[in-house]
Amino acid sequence: MNKTANNPIILEMKGIGKSFPGVIALDGVNLSIREGEVHALLGENGAGKSTLIKILAGAYPKDQGEIIFQGQSVDIKSPYHAQQLGISTIYQEFNLARHLTVPENIFLGHLPQKGLLVDWDTAKARSQEILTRLGVSLQLDVPCDTLSVAEQQLVEIAKALTRETRVLIMDEPSAVLGDKDMEKLFQIVRSLTARGISIIYISHRLSEVFEIADRVTVFKDGRLVGSKDVSDVTMDSLVKMMVGRDLQDIYPKKHAKIGKVLLDIKGLNRPKVLHNISLQVRAGEIVGLAGMRGAGRTELLRAIFGADSYEGTMTLDGKPFNPTSPKDAIDQKVALVTEDRKAEGLLLQQSVKFNTTISGLKEFCTRWIINRQKEVDHVQQMVKKLRIKTPGINNLVVGMSGGNQQKVIIARFLGARVLLLDEPTRGIDVGSKNEIYQVMVDLAEQGLAVLMVSSELPEVLGMSDRVLVMHEGHIAKELSRAEASEESIMKYATGSHLES
Amino acid sequence: MHSPKMFNKSRSRFWNVKLAVVLMVIALLLGACGGAATPAAEKPAEKAAEKPAADASAGGKIKVGLVTKTETNPFFVKMKEGATKAIEAAGGELMSAAGSFDGDNESQVTAIENMVNAGVKGIMITPSDTKAIVPAIKKARDAGVMVIALDTPTDPQEGTDALFATDNFKAGILIGQYAKAAMGGKPVKIATLDLAPGITVGILRHNGFMVGYGLATVDATAKDLVNSAEVVCSQDTQGDQAKGQTAMENCLTKDPEINVVYTINEPAAFGAYTALKAAGKEKDVLIVSVDGGCAGVQGVKDGVIAATSQQYPLKMAAMGVDAIVKFASTGEKVSGYTDTGVTLITDKAQAGVEGQDTVFGLENCWGDKK
Amino acid sequence: MTNQNKQMKDVMSQIMAIPAIGPLMALLLASIFFATQTDRFLSGSNLSLVVQQVMVVGTLAIGQTLIILTSGIDLSCGMVMALSSIMMTSLAVDYGVNPFLAIIIGLVISALFGLLNGALVTMIRLPPFIVTLGTYSIAFAVIRIYTTQTITNLPDVMTFFGKTFTIGSTAITYGSVLMVILFLIAWFVLSSTAGGRYLYAVGDNPEAARLAGISTTRLLISVYVISAVLYGIAGLLLTARTGVGDPQAGQNSNLESITAVVLGGTSLFGGRGNIMGTLVGALIVGVFRNGLQLMGVESIYQVLITGILVIVAVSIDQLSHR
């Protein structure tokens, strides 16, 4: 039974519609939020969740429909107006002034004043009070960019609490957090709802919904598929609502024929980050690299890729492999798909074609001149093979969905022999995830070696032939597919094996 | 004074054309970004084209070009005013252009080329770079255009048909002689605030001053600044007030006993005065200058500058226009150098040095009168 | 009816997809406007003159475009040009060096300045604005220390690009032809070679480009050196156009070349733009200067209009990428 079922409705949206040139982003959406509930919004990228919360946050005007907030019909004119009403939003990209201190950020725009001067003592005291209420402690006098991502998120939440917030919208708050921090986040969310604040919680991780939400609403293609009490749904039924497909199909893992050792690493070190790492990846094998954020997984991939300096010896297919730059690694057919697609992967102002061939341009060149026909043929083949959705190969990648962007980057490196994947499905909807998994399986079958960093345990378990667990720069444990489970991975990832 | 009515009429037509051009530009670009705005873009063009007297179609009018060093210096503003008045009186049309900084040769070359293409009869120019401009002037003259240098000769002077200018060497001599008389044989320490390296006007005035004071014996053909032991400090100011002040400050640091300051022009003189005043020395130091702009003459009247050599840009331009109008009607070219005159302006006349007081100076000055 | 509309839209979107279409239409409309205002504008010799007048700044702007595409900026370009011009002419006239050799030495000196710029930008990771502001002053001072005299009586080789040949009755300057050829080469390199792609990639996102396997340091240094050689060539064109070696030249050329780049639709943030747009941008400035002069409009209005054009051009760029 849902404990918030009888709470009054604080926010109601009726027949909300919004279209952009060429796209209907929202079509006749009816949604109601109860006081003190956690209401999860689910849906693939482009399903309409972001548009809806931007309308609520005052970032976009709505085209049609009515919003009733605390019994009054309101027309939210601007982000400022939304905050005045009591609707606060925490976006995935934080809105912090990076060089200002914690109290300055918490009270940004309405610092308490004594006459003409800022009353720093009050600002600090009230910041401390709010943070204490959230059950956390932060160093106040440091610039915000020295805080961890989780701490910055706390500052954002504290910011919302300085105003009379009734509805707090959180856009994928867990996407940037490790597991420990997530537990803390859930505690804070619960304490907020206990005080009658309603939370609209957007996520891609289904498991979170069951942990934290009271109700869940699923969007698809700009329409609302349904709103349900969490107690009435299962993982399977939610996935079906989202993609019309069953859960067991998400991980299409097949066991490819495992061949010879392709990548062999012995005693790889990077001061303070990586300690004596040795590992092997064989042809046809997908090796999962699990661990907490900051355990050194990304750093390991970057070192193998030649993006950062390292000490140690590596061989590739039996030959010495010591890349000093990404170019070196790519020339020897070792590729890295980075975690942050926008900052480290895509060339956002360029086309699908440009992004697909940039790393392997030489193969389309005679001397330095690009053979256009050859390039176009290749890219069209890739678009077809990976089912990249784009109006044309000359369209820019900037407007594409996360899943399609990720496919473009994977297409860039399809010629590789060793594929290093860092959180390959982060921020990608379930449908596209499945397609990317399918590509990984196909590649493994063709004899590629895949080393995959992932923070999503179901993904690690669902896709890996073997799992390596990292803890504080060491490889803490190697688990076979049979040995690997959420519990066994967490045991080594958290370092609890060292304590016992 | 010409009648206000006439003035308004010519002024408003002038503005119509210009407004049309500005509107056109905006409309053009709006038109370029979206098809919808295109009809609007055509309107001002039609309007301007309908105007029967649109300047461009003035076939019979004599066109005269004026190319100055910059747009901003009041000396050139006055020069343009003189040219505009003279050409309006003759029923012709003035085309003007300027470089974007003092020393900008390429813009002057471009302006000459465009003016020749526009069909001017003659071009008056104050060359920014006396040597570099010569080939472009030659092309214009080969195309049958008469070219007159105003204020500054080209190098060589034969590069233009004629030169109408102040005798800058003489302007320097006048203030040199004045300074010598005013100091009356006292021991002297001189600072010279010059123009910029290699610019003829600066060299002529400086050397003239030195000769006038009796400290050197060169003539107007010398290519370098001459100095003597009495000159304790020489700095370039680009004729700029702020730079003049900095230069004077530095000179005072070098030698606090400076008692005569030669300045290339009056802005530099004002800068020097500010620096001297800050050091509490403004009463003890004699400043002399060249130009005779209204602000400068006022400075003489106020006792900031002891004396200045006044020159006559308005007259230069008016004489130039007359010569070109005459050339257009008779085909007769002017040649050689015409001195447009220079007068020493001071309120503390010294025996043996000829000059006029500031009443005369203010009547004949250029720039805005107070 | 709706079908027709759709066709219209398709045609429109195809037209809008032509690179540098905006600047090109502005240039065309401006030309039409001036043609209606003065019958002298459309003559072959006048149009040829406009091209000749932009050949120096146009050549500079090729180099400037390359650097801006890497999300850099080069304030030193005009001074490097002037230095190269002075060195070439001075060596040939004052020291009797073979003029061809003198030209090559001038270009090498330019290239060294480019190498300095590129090395500071990549090795010490200084912002290009600061680096080139510094080298602007350094080159300016080097020129003044070396000479303050205008250098005349140049050998014929050095004024060759200022000479003309005639097609029909129109005289065309060799330098104009050289500029157009340089633009075509730059266009080909940018659009059809791996190096060109890499340049766009680095301008778009240097870290992503590095992780995609591009040697960003080598690329950036090459771009600064190549651009500087282009400034050297601009110095040769300037020498040929004015017939002298001029130590005062180039003081405003950095802003003029940036104006041409911006009018041509290249983004100052890098990674987006078309080199042919820069040619059009340079021509727009030239056409307005020439057309307004022919109409008898004072030169200060040319400055005003250039200012308006720049702001409008950048606004269009901003709005079209919202």
Side-chain angles (χ1 to χ4, degrees), chain B residues 28 71 95 110 114 117 129, chain C residues 29 46 241 246 290 293 299:
Chain B
L28 270 179
E71 296 278 1
M95 310 182 84
T110 304
N114 285 337
N117 258 23
D129 187 322
Chain C
L29 286 168
N46 189 54
R241 179 167 141 69
D246 178 8
N290 174 270
Q293 190 86 70
S299 54

Side-chain angles (χ1 to χ4, degrees), chain B residues 18 21-22 25 71 95-99 107 110-111 114-115, chain C residues 34 53 259 263 284-310:
Chain B
K18 254 134 252 199
V21 170
V22 173
V25 174
E71 296 278 1
M95 310 182 84
S96 69
S107 292
T110 304
N114 285 337
M115 285 174 178
Chain C
F34 287 121
Q53 288 176 345
T259 302
L263 284 179
I284 288 175
V285 175
V287 160
F288 269 90
R289 185 170 50 200
N290 174 270
L292 292 174
Q293 190 86 70
L294 293 186
M295 284 173 65
V297 177
E298 279 174 59
S299 54
I300 194 68
Y301 289 93
Q302 300 159 23
V303 180
L304 171 73
I305 285 167
T306 309
I308 295 171
L309 283 171
V310 166

Side-chain angles (χ1 to χ4, degrees), chain B residues 349-360:
Chain B
Q350 298 293 331
V353 186
E354 211 175 297
Q356 296 279 357
D357 63 9
T358 52
V359 177
F360 173 90

Side-chain angles (χ1 to χ4, degrees), chain C residues 38 42 71 82 109 137 144 178 181 200 239 245 276 282 289:
Chain C
T38 156
L42 266 192
S71 77
I109 290 171
S137 297
R144 293 308 148 93
L178 177 64
I181 290 173
Y200 276 99
T239 308
M276 291 320 247
R289 185 170 50 200

Side-chain angles (χ1 to χ4, degrees), chain A residues 343 349-350 359 370 372 375, chain C residues 192 197 204-205 212 215 271-272:
Chain A
Q349 300 177 74
Q350 315 300 337
S359 291
I370 300 164
R372 284 158 187 274
E375 185 190 17
Chain C
S192 301
R197 289 280 179 88
D204 192 321
N205 181 338
S215 322
R272 198 178 67 232

Side-chain angles (χ1 to χ4, degrees), chain A residues 11-12 23 25 41 43 68 106 108 155 176 199 220 249 252 294 342 350 402 415 427-428 441 467 477 497:
Chain A
L11 175 67
E12 188 169 13
V23 199
L41 301 188
I68 297 162
I106 290 179
L108 198 67
V155 176
V176 292
I199 311 278
K220 188 169 166 61
D249 297 341
K342 287 187 177 165
Q350 315 300 337
I428 292 176
V441 168
V467 179
K477 182 69 181 174
H497 64 291

